[in-house]
Every structure is written in C-alpha cells, then in structure tokens.
Amino acid sequence: MINPVCNWLCRAAFVGAVSIGLSTVSVGFAQADDQMAAVGDQQRINLEAVIANGAKTLKDRISFTVSRFENGGVGPIVATAEKSPAELSLPAGQYRVSTVYGDVTVDSNLEVASSAVKHRVNLNAGWVRLKVIPHRGAKPMKGDVSWEVMTYGRDANGKRHRVATANGPRPSLVLPEGFYLVRAKTRDARVKHTIEVTAGHTYKYTLNMNAGSLHTSALTHDGGLFASDEVTWEVYRKGGKRLLSSITGATGTFTLREGSYRIVATSGEMTSSTDVAVHSGNSRKVNLTLR
C-alpha cells in the first residue's frame, strides 16, 4: 500500500475479495464453420472470468476470443463472446483464449477433449476510480480532464509505457495488479502521482492539483472593459518560454498550480503583460490595459 506523501493525493481502498453474483448469460458467437465441420463432434465450453483468485464469476462485458493452435502457432479465430459467463461449442483440440476486460488482457490455453469444459480465467486485476480536485477541500473538477496511466517501472531504455488512457472528470478503469504512474491534465495544469492496484480490490484515488484561480480582464486606456472578445490570453511560467495555456475573450479564468507565471494579453497590435503569483486555494484578479 502507498501512504499519501503530500496533500495532493487521497486514496480509499476497499480491501477484500470482490464478490459478484453468478448467473448464466446467453452470448452469441461466431465460428469458422468450414474449418470446424471436418474436425468431429463438438463439446460445450463454458467461459468465465474472475477479477482475482477466489472471487466469484464476473457478470460483465468481457471479450473472449478463441483461436485454434495450428502448425505450432496460433491460427485463425474460431469463436468469440462478449460477456462473462459465456457458453459456446468447440471440437476437440488445442486453443488459445484471449480475454479482455477494461485495460486487462490475459491469454490462456484451452484443451478440449471428449467432455464439456469449464474454462475460468483469472484476470489478477483491480478496479480504479479517479478524480481530481483543484485544491484541498474543494469539490472534484467537472470540466475536461485527460488521464494517462503509465507503467511505474522503466524499460532498459529508461522509458515508461502507456497502459491506459481515459477522458472525463471521473473515469473508472480495470488494471492489472501492480504500481502505476497516473497523469491528469486539464486545460491549464497537470498533476501526476503513483498509485497501487491489488487484485480483487477497488480503489478510489483523488489527485490534488494544488491550484488557485486567476480571473483576467482586458481594459481600455480609460479603464473600461475591452469591447472586443478577440483578446488572446497566454500563460507562461515566469521566466519560461513554453506556452502553458491560452484562451480567447475579453475576460478569462485559469486554474493554475501554485507558482509564478507571466500573463500576456494580445488583441491585434495591442498587447500587455504582467507577472503574477498563484497560491493554492486562492482566487486572484488581474486587469491588463491594452495599448
């Protein structure tokens, strides 16, 4: 388990194997009829998946793809199903079953002989629910948030690999057991932190942007609000050159992580800029006179 290291990650873990009701679901499947007709009598195959060892059968949208082994390798697809549990028929032989649930993929071998077979796949995974708050004590953000889940460990070249992506303020993911680096990005800011997933458990993670609000207004030389909405606002780190965020309008609102920034307003040939400090949980107004 990971204990929170700073004020920008909260986690709640519901520990224990997840029990899910077992019921039979009738599922359609496709077969390669020409190839299978000559093989012989078919046997009933029951496919099911569990989230972790010892858990009950999942009743959910889970994809099963069955391929026959041919010439020492995986051959063509002979059957598919889209829910767990699923029932289909196959002739005797050796098969590869690819099971996909969320961002989890498990490949397993299946042997069909002269009797019915129950094939249970252990996904060894957990559920993760994510959300992000602008600062401590604030409600979760409702706007556009893009998420990226990366491997915690790095490969031989020192690189992490993407495991999953999601869009929305509160995504729910299914991930294999392990540690991951999660990145959340809004229009104005981004935050990252390490999370843990244990098979059979549900985790709720809240990432804290540690941000404040910045409200901007473009003014005329006599102090009135700029009449045109064709004002472009750009945000840079103080002393930096990389554009962090931009919007268009006579007024604007930014949610920026705590730090020092340079704000630039431009409309045609007129421009103005200023440096501003943003503090977590605080709101600040910035008026710029365009000349």
Side-chain angles (χ1 to χ4, degrees), residues 20-26 47-48 57-60 83-86:
I20 296 181
L22 172 64
S23 65
T24 302
V25 179
S26 182
L47 296 176
E48 58 185 46
T57 301
L58 286 168
K59 182 184 177 182
D60 210 339
K83 286 188 178 180
S84 169

Side-chain angles (χ1 to χ4, degrees), residues 38-279:
V39 180
D41 295 338
Q42 297 188 355
Q43 302 299 331
R44 186 176 71 255
I45 311 300
N46 291 307
L47 296 176
E48 58 185 46
V50 295
I51 196 69
N53 188 33
K56 291 186 178 181
T57 301
L58 286 168
K59 182 184 177 182
D60 210 339
R61 292 192 61 82
I62 297 175
S63 173
F64 297 99
T65 302
V66 182
S67 303
R68 175 180 285 277
F69 278 111
E70 290 184 354
N71 301 320
V74 178
I77 295 173
V78 295
T80 63
E82 295 299 329
K83 286 188 178 180
S84 169
E87 184 174 303
L88 47 84
S89 297
L90 293 171
Q94 303 288 331
Y95 300 89
R96 170 66 58 86
V97 180
S98 179
T99 306
V100 179
Y101 182 39
D103 292 287
V104 179
T105 300
V106 175
D107 291 327
S108 55
N109 295 334
L110 168 64
E111 181 178 2
V112 178
S114 58
S115 60
V117 176
K118 175 180 284 189
H119 187 70
R120 172 173 288 189
V121 179
N122 180 5
L123 298 169
N124 195 39
W127 291 278
V128 176
R129 299 171 185 171
L130 300 168
K131 59 184 176 181
V132 62
I133 57 176
H135 56 82
R136 180 184 289 274
K139 293 182 179 181
M141 301 180 73
K142 296 182 179 180
D144 293 335
V145 182
S146 60
W147 301 84
E148 187 177 45
V149 181
M150 309 292 292
T151 56
Y152 177 74
R154 300 175 184 270
D155 62 18
N157 297 319
K159 295 182 179 180
R160 291 188 170 95
H161 296 274
R162 183 185 294 114
V163 177
T165 60
N167 291 294
R170 295 191 177 190
S172 295
L173 303 174
V174 184
L175 296 172
E177 182 174 87
F179 291 89
Y180 300 92
L181 180 71
V182 175
R183 298 169 177 163
K185 183 180 182 298
T186 64
R187 186 197 67 189
D188 304 328
R190 63 184 68 194
V191 63
K192 63 182 179 181
H193 204 77
T194 302
I195 67 169
E196 178 188 12
V197 177
T198 301
H201 297 178
T202 298
Y203 292 89
K204 293 182 179 180
Y205 287 97
T206 301
L207 278 66
N208 188 345
M209 279 285 185
N210 198 34
S213 298
L214 189 65
H215 305 278
T216 61
S217 297
L219 306 180
T220 62
H221 66 278
D222 57 2
L225 184 65
F226 203 74
S228 173
D229 283 336
E230 295 184 1
V231 179
T232 300
W233 298 89
E234 296 180 336
V235 179
Y236 302 85
R237 280 284 183 182
K238 184 178 179 180
K241 296 182 179 180
R242 183 171 66 89
L243 178 66
L244 300 178
S245 182
S246 67
I247 57 174
T248 300
T251 62
T253 298
F254 297 89
T255 301
L256 300 170
R257 297 196 66 190
E258 187 170 89
S260 296
Y261 298 88
R262 170 160 286 270
I263 312 299
V264 181
T266 304
S267 180
E269 298 297 324
M270 296 179 289
T271 186
S272 183
S273 64
T274 188
D275 293 337
V276 60
V278 175
H279 299 284

